[in-house]
Amino acid sequence: MSRPTRHAPLAGTRARLAAAVLVAVLVGIATFAATWARPSEYRGESALLARPVTQASPTGETFQGAVTLAMPALVEFAHAPSALENVRRQVTPSTSAEDLSAAITVGYDPNSAVATVSVTAQNAHLARALTSALVTEIVRADLLAPVATLAPLDTTPSVTDLRPSPAMVGALSIAAALAAAAAALVALHLWRPTPTIRLRRALGDAGLAQPVLLLEAERTGFPERVRDLARLLDRPARVVALDAGDGADGGALASSGLKVAPRSEEGAPLVLVASPELTSDELAGGLAALPTADRAAVAAVVLRRVQAS
């Protein structure tokens, strides 16, 4: 009768890669759908240039000084309730004053005497109309008088579609999928370590300082690896099982070419047999239970499901 399974870990590298691929596909599809399903958004944009009327105001400010002082007022004016209401009155259909204020962006460079006004909206026509109306309000306010005036560089605002292109959406989806796959592999490595990883941790916890060869009986090429081990040891080795059951006599390993010495033979290298279903604590406990001399003599560990007696 087979030994009862105490754990149901993901079996091997293929299962882990399959799980990571599944996560990547799901995340990629979800990212593509969420990004592509975003509502349409367009940005209307217009540039305003400050042009000098006189070189100095009656109070003594130069053109450059007046522009530097007045430019910040453009931001406040564009978001003022009266200006927003006037813009809304000019455009039909419009939006609420709160939404319009949030959609407006005003930038300026005092050194070049240029201000940029942009408004985002759900369609291109509305974005262009709102931007044009806002520019009209700013020009009408004449905030740089009497030294300068503001005039749009183009009579029609430019409009940009802010929704990502299909290529951009695809690239974002692929990037998200790869990141999700990597995260899934890391999570599986931490939460559901493979038998080999558990064994490596157990060897470290048991304090084995010497290099130890790990062999998995269910891997392709296992007999060849046992024969390589036999050639490497170049002498009979004792075989000890870390968990109860037969198989500690080394019959399966002997049939693959390993020379097996009696357990009582002192100084012979030690080959341990452990079930891949053992936990890290069980492996570490079994290793710690070995005499100090035996721990120092461990040359290899074979992960093989042992049949219960």
Side-chain angles (χ1 to χ4, degrees), residues 9-28:
L10 291 176
T13 304
R14 290 183 180 178
R16 291 169 181 272
L17 289 177
V21 169
L22 177 60
V23 171
V25 170
L26 293 177
V27 171

Side-chain angles (χ1 to χ4, degrees), residues 83-299:
L84 295 175
E85 189 58 34
N86 289 337
V87 170
R88 292 179 64 247
R89 194 179 297 119
Q90 295 178 52
V91 179
T92 303
S94 188
T95 181
S96 67
E98 293 78 8
D99 291 341
L100 178 57
S101 179
I104 292 173
T105 302
V106 178
Y108 59 89
D109 182 1
N111 294 325
S112 62
V114 174
T116 303
V117 177
S118 63
V119 183
T120 57
Q122 61 189 4
N123 61 68
H125 172 75
L126 185 58
R128 182 179 290 110
L130 289 171
T131 305
S132 181
L134 181 59
V135 168
T136 299
E137 285 300 306
I138 292 175
V139 171
R140 184 182 301 164
D142 203 14
L143 299 175
L144 302 184
V147 177
T149 60
L150 284 169
L153 293 178
D154 197 335
T155 56
T156 304
S158 62
V159 177
T160 304
D161 187 353
L162 298 181
R163 189 170 61 176
S165 65
M168 177 79 66
V169 174
L172 290 174
S173 301
I174 292 173
L178 293 177
L185 289 175
V186 171
L188 289 173
H189 176 82
L190 294 175
W191 298 336
R192 304 298 295 271
T194 63
T196 303
I197 293 174
R198 291 202 306 273
L199 181 55
R200 286 291 186 193
R201 293 174 181 173
L203 293 174
D205 294 341
L208 270 69
Q210 74 274 22
V212 176
L213 184 65
L214 301 183
L215 293 82
E216 295 185 57
E218 295 182 357
R219 285 284 186 92
T220 303
F222 174 71
E224 289 78 6
R225 295 205 66 194
V226 174
R227 286 193 287 272
D228 291 340
L229 173 63
R231 286 193 293 270
L232 180 65
L233 295 177
D234 196 28
R235 57 183 296 192
R238 294 174 294 153
V239 179
V240 176
L242 289 180
D243 48 345
D246 62 13
D249 57 1
L253 297 178
S255 65
S256 296
L258 181 68
K259 298 178 182 179
V260 179
R263 297 186 191 181
S264 58
E265 183 173 329
E266 297 182 0
L270 192 64
V271 175
L272 302 177
V273 178
S275 169
E277 296 168 358
L278 292 179
T279 65
S280 296
D281 291 340
E282 289 170 335
L283 288 168
L287 290 167
L290 295 173
T292 303
D294 283 350
R295 289 202 299 273
V298 173

